């Protein structure tokens, strides 16, 4: 009789504490996915820094002019809100830092830093418009399982999309035009070099598909040095200053 009562008391206690145990073991560690929508004037970088894996940051229509975004949190999505057209405009001021090279004719300079830099894995960037970066448009560095899609990149000083030391990256349905515009005149590579507009360096298992790359001051698409298993499929590449695809 005594043992039966003890078991009954224990069962009641377990029943009382079961919701708390479920919260501690299942809800608290993983945290529910959060979706936030930002409007111009609200900091994209601050939202990225506060995000956890699984969070989605949506951008409403409008222009952000003071953002040089670095994504350091794995598992997040940075995307246009449904039907929105968000613009990240560097105004040729951002990114900052010392110039990598300058054009002696125009005085235009560029840096290698991208306006949006992905330094984390399992990241999605979708539907953004990138204008007037002083450096690259979007860069992926030291990451895995990254998708960049439906982005429009125009009039940036250096490359449009750059993948470095990364793997399992997909660049799809993006449009890049007017990139490499720090020097917009006919020249030889010995006089003043030009960038590769969509490029991979030290990377593997990268898919570049269904993009439009045109009217840029550089080479169109390249599987760059020390890269392997780069799949370049179904892109429209034309009217670039140097080679189209290599």
């Amino acid at each position: 009789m005594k043992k039966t009562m003890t078991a009954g008391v224990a069962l009641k206690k377990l029943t009382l504490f079961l919701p708390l145990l479920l919260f501690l073991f299942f809800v608290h560690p993983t945290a529910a996915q959060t979706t936030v929508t930002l409007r111009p004037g609200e900091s994209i970088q601050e939202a990225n820094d506060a995000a956890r894996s699984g969070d989605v940051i949506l951008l409403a229509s409008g222009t952000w002019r003071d953002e040089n975004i670095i994504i350091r949190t794995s598992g997040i999505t940075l995307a246009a809100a449904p039907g929105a057209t968000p613009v990240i405009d560097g105004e040729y001021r951002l990114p900052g830092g010392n110039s990598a090279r300058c054009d002696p004719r125009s005085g235009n300079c560029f840096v290698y830093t991208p306006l949006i830099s992905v330094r984390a894995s399992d990241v999605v960037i979708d539907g953004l418009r990138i204008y007037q970066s002083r450096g690259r448009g979007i860069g992926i560095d030291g990451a895995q399982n990254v998708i960049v899609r439906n982005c429009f990149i125009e009039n940036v000083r250096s490359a449009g999309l750059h993948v470095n030391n990364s793997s399992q990256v997909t660049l799809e349905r993006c449009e890049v035009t007017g990139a490499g515009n720090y020097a917009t005149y006919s020249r030889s590579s010995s006089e003043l070099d030009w960038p590769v507009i969509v490029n991979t360096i030290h990377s593997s298992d990268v898919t570049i598909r269904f993009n439009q790359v045109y009217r840029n001051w550089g080479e169109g698409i390249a599987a760059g040095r020390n890269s392997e298993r780069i799949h370049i499929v179904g892109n429209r590449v034309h009217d670039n200053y140097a080679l189209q695809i290599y």
Side-chain angles (χ1 to χ4, degrees):
M1 185 69 176
K2 184 176 181 181
K3 290 183 179 180
T4 303
M5 290 179 63
T6 302
V9 171
L11 181 60
K12 288 182 180 179
K13 289 184 177 180
L14 179 60
T15 303
L16 290 172
F17 284 100
L18 185 58
L20 178 59
L21 291 172
L22 289 172
F23 175 81
L24 291 175
F25 283 96
F26 293 98
V27 177
H28 181 68
T30 57
Q33 173 183 303
T34 300
T35 299
V36 298
T37 301
L38 304 181
R39 291 168 176 76
E42 298 177 305
S43 173
I44 300 172
Q45 186 62 60
E46 288 182 5
N48 272 293
D49 291 342
R52 296 181 178 182
S53 180
D55 285 356
V56 177
I57 300 170
L58 299 178
L59 304 183
S61 292
T63 302
W64 281 260
R65 292 187 172 84
D66 297 301
E67 295 275 0
N68 183 186
I69 302 160
I70 302 174
I71 298 176
R72 302 184 180 91
T73 302
S74 294
I76 69 171
T77 296
L78 177 62
T85 307
V87 174
I88 316 297
D89 189 345
E91 296 184 326
Y92 297 133
R93 299 181 294 106
L94 297 173
N98 295 329
S99 299
R101 184 169 295 179
C102 296
D103 172 24
R105 298 191 192 183
S106 67
N108 293 332
C109 301
F110 74 91
V111 295
Y112 289 119
T113 309
L115 198 59
I116 298 180
S117 180
V118 179
R119 301 180 187 174
S121 297
D122 305 304
V123 170
V124 176
I125 297 178
D126 191 351
L128 306 187
R129 302 178 77 89
I130 313 298
Y131 292 155
Q132 299 187 125
S133 171
R134 185 169 168 259
R136 293 167 174 156
I138 298 174
I140 301 165
D141 194 357
Q144 294 181 326
N145 300 315
V146 174
I147 299 173
V148 178
R149 64 191 176 207
N150 302 320
C151 291
F152 182 83
I153 301 170
E154 184 176 22
N155 294 339
V156 299
R157 291 293 192 224
S158 187
L161 294 164
H162 186 82
V163 181
N164 180 62
N165 193 31
S166 298
S167 64
Q168 299 176 336
V169 173
T170 299
L171 310 175
E172 62 183 2
R173 295 185 174 87
C174 293
E175 189 171 344
V176 185
T177 187
N181 69 357
Y182 75 100
T184 55
Y185 55 85
S186 180
R187 61 192 187 277
S188 68
S189 60
S190 61
E191 178 185 0
L192 191 65
D193 207 355
W194 48 76
V196 179
I197 305 306
V198 179
N199 195 20
T200 67
I201 301 290
H202 302 292
S203 296
S204 62
D205 301 299
V206 178
T207 299
I208 304 170
R209 63 188 179 192
F210 312 134
N211 301 284
Q212 298 184 60
V213 183
Y214 61 95
R215 295 175 188 163
N216 297 287
W217 288 90
E219 297 158 343
I221 299 176
R225 61 183 180 272
N226 298 321
S227 292
E228 57 185 9
R229 298 185 300 278
I230 310 302
H231 308 282
I232 302 173
V233 181
N235 301 278
R236 295 182 60 193
V237 185
H238 60 90
D239 298 315
N240 297 293
Y241 176 70
L243 298 174
Q244 304 305 311
I245 299 178
Y246 75 99

